[in-house]
Amino acid sequence: MLERVLFLSQPRAEALRPPRRSAIISITDRDRPSANLRSGWDDVLRLPFDDFDPVTWPEEDEDFYEGMEEIDAYQMVELAEFCAANARRCRRIVVHCRYGQSRSAGVAKALAQVAGLWFPPGYADHNTFVYRVSLRAMQRAFARHAGR
């Protein structure tokens, strides 16, 4: 049963020795290589999507965000199902992204909320779009898995 959700940077995730009964969600930019994770994780989900929030950051710097793509619907379902399945068999789910502040924090916050776990109070640097869509997808996935 899931006891803890952690979010951290890619370098920290790559250096981390996998704790027992733990899964990891590896989020990388679409144009960067996959994380070089150590072996030993109970389950690994790799998702390439950019740190882009089409709702909150639509016109901040259009040139900077050109060509970036947010998490898509297929990835969101895959993420939610991964979390719901591993919440039953793992004690810990680790989520990383490039800097460990925005995308990973959005996913971790949604997962912590759905699973009734602690998340740092007042932490506000998470990607709000990733958080909102992750939360909705996870609520549906956890409800489906609860009926099994």
Side-chain angles (χ1 to χ4, degrees), residues 66-87:
E66 188 170 330
M68 287 189 165
E69 291 184 21
E70 71 270 13
I71 188 168
D72 65 37
Y74 174 78
Q75 291 172 316
M76 192 51 53
V77 170
E78 189 177 17
L79 170 67
E81 289 297 325
F82 179 90
C83 289
N86 282 294

Side-chain angles (χ1 to χ4, degrees), residues 11-128:
R12 287 192 60 206
E14 290 174 333
L16 183 64
R17 178 170 294 152
R20 292 180 54 211
R21 294 181 51 210
S22 295
I24 189 165
I25 300 165
S26 177
I27 302 169
T28 53
D29 297 331
R30 289 181 315 112
D31 63 348
R32 295 185 60 90
S34 295
N36 185 20
L37 302 173
R38 291 183 175 200
S39 62
W41 293 97
D42 289 283
D43 205 355
V44 177
L45 176 64
R46 294 180 184 271
L47 294 173
F49 65 90
D50 297 310
D51 191 7
F52 179 62
D53 180 342
V55 177
T56 309
W57 310 331
E59 296 179 18
E60 272 186 14
D61 184 351
E62 290 181 22
D63 292 336
F64 180 79
Y65 295 110
E66 188 170 330
M68 287 189 165
E69 291 184 21
E70 71 270 13
I71 188 168
D72 65 37
Y74 174 78
Q75 291 172 316
M76 192 51 53
V77 170
E78 189 177 17
L79 170 67
E81 289 297 325
F82 179 90
C83 289
N86 282 294
R88 299 178 126 195
R89 62 179 170 245
C90 289
R91 291 178 42 215
R92 185 177 292 115
I93 294 179
V94 175
V95 188
H96 90 75
C97 65
R98 188 172 184 184
Y99 297 112
Q101 300 171 24
S102 184
R103 290 168 289 179
S104 60
V107 170
K109 183 175 182 176
L111 178 54
Q113 186 172 335
V114 171
L117 299 173
W118 181 85
F119 185 84
Y123 188 86
D125 290 336
H126 63 279
N127 182 310
T128 55

